[in-house]
Amino acid sequence: MVPKSPEDSPYYFGTSDLACVSTKGRLHLTKRSVKMESENNRTKRAAPQRHTMSPTHRWIYFRGNFFEWGTDAGSKTRLFGLLNDAKSYSVKSVLPFNGEKCDWMMEPVPAGYSSVSLECIVGCTVNYKTLTGDYSLLNNNCHHFANTISMVLCSNICPDWCQQIL
């Protein structure tokens, strides 16, 4: 996907070591890597999606922030959604959730470009559970969240459900 205007910012899919994220840094299975290739490798395509059953924790990186859902950030619950509450999301500007302890990787080529505001994507992240319901390993996991955010970013329109904190 190629930017349509100078206001468009790239966004990336990324993953974190699922075993590490779910054990709060006690178990590691992958190596950390952050590599961004030249933006000359862009191709035009539909809203990018990723497989929803990958054994990783997936997130979106956009305008200097990591957007995640299905973590236990700020909640008393665990990664796999047991008694999940509305605080099972994370918006961080330095590293992804548990990034200081856990290996993580950002895809080297932008998944797309968007002019959607940062406030809109924060609203989408905060309201995601209200829209989709509790975390489900098979039907509503971090990959579903990342795919939904990708669709919003590619649409370049902030949906109503993202415009106010529900």
Side-chain angles (χ1 to χ4, degrees), residues 69 73-77 81-89 129 134:
W69 191 75
S75 99
K76 298 175 186 167
T77 62
L82 303 174
L83 303 172
N84 205 347
D85 64 22
K87 294 184 179 177
S88 62
Y89 62 85
K129 180 183 184 284
D134 287 339

Side-chain angles (χ1 to χ4, degrees), residues 48-143:
Q49 302 272 308
R50 299 299 181 264
H51 195 277
T52 59
M53 291 306 296
S54 175
T56 58
H57 173 67
R58 189 168 308 279
W59 39 264
I60 294 280
Y61 180 79
F62 178 64
R63 295 191 181 189
N65 290 274
F66 298 88
F67 296 91
E68 305 176 70
W69 191 75
T71 69
D72 64 356
S75 99
K76 298 175 186 167
T77 62
R78 286 181 260 170
L79 179 69
F80 294 118
L82 303 174
L83 303 172
N84 205 347
D85 64 22
K87 294 184 179 177
S88 62
Y89 62 85
S90 174
V91 177
K92 297 181 78 179
S93 61
V94 179
L95 295 170
F97 179 73
N98 275 347
E100 63 284 348
K101 299 176 190 172
C102 301
D103 295 331
W104 54 278
M105 182 180 73
M106 188 170 355
E107 292 181 1
V109 176
Y113 295 82
S114 183
S115 60
V116 171
S117 72
L118 190 57
E119 293 78 16
C120 173
I121 301 305
V122 169
C124 293
T125 302
V126 171
N127 293 336
Y128 183 76
K129 180 183 184 284
T130 304
L131 178 74
T132 64
D134 287 339
Y135 183 98
S136 165
L137 182 60
L138 299 177
N139 301 315
N140 192 22
N141 60 38
C142 57
H143 305 287

